[in-house]
Amino acid sequence: MQKEYKLTFLEHEVLSYLADKQYLYIARDEDGDLFVYKEKPVKNLNYWNADTCDQLIYFENKFNFVKWEDKEPYKVQDILNNCEVVENVD
């Protein structure tokens, strides 16, 4: 069964924009930095690594369900396909 994600309107709009720009994955490094990737990243000792990535500097306090402890990066489109947009995310 697919997980349902609760996103704020801002989080939904950011992910939609990133999907339009061909970003496929989102993950958080051990230090809490949030990144998006155009190809599937590989988890290293304390960060995710891929050739094409961008840091979401202004959104690191968002997407709180994305954690360093995750075994796999999240697929942006899976989140968008299985989300509910809410006013506040708990």
Side-chain angles (χ1 to χ4, degrees), residues 6-8 10-15 18 26 28 34 56 59-67 74 79 89:
K6 292 187 185 286
L7 300 178
T8 64
L10 175 61
E11 289 171 328
H12 183 271
E13 292 301 300
V14 168
L15 283 186
L18 292 168
I26 185 169
R28 192 176 300 275
L34 190 64
L56 297 180
F59 301 103
E60 290 183 354
N61 63 339
K62 302 293 184 189
F63 307 102
N64 293 326
F65 60 91
V66 178
K67 302 191 181 307
Y74 286 85
I79 298 169
V89 176

Side-chain angles (χ1 to χ4, degrees), residues 48-90:
W48 293 87
N49 188 34
D51 287 339
T52 306
C53 71
D54 283 295
Q55 187 173 0
L56 297 180
I57 296 170
Y58 300 109
F59 301 103
E60 290 183 354
N61 63 339
K62 302 293 184 189
F63 307 102
N64 293 326
F65 60 91
V66 178
K67 302 191 181 307
W68 165 248
E69 295 79 16
D70 296 328
K71 301 281 188 235
E72 292 286 326
Y74 286 85
K75 292 181 180 178
V76 170
Q77 198 59 55
D78 284 354
I79 298 169
L80 290 170
N81 291 344
N82 298 287
C83 72
E84 175 187 358
V85 179
V86 296
E87 197 167 316
N88 292 310
V89 176
D90 297 329

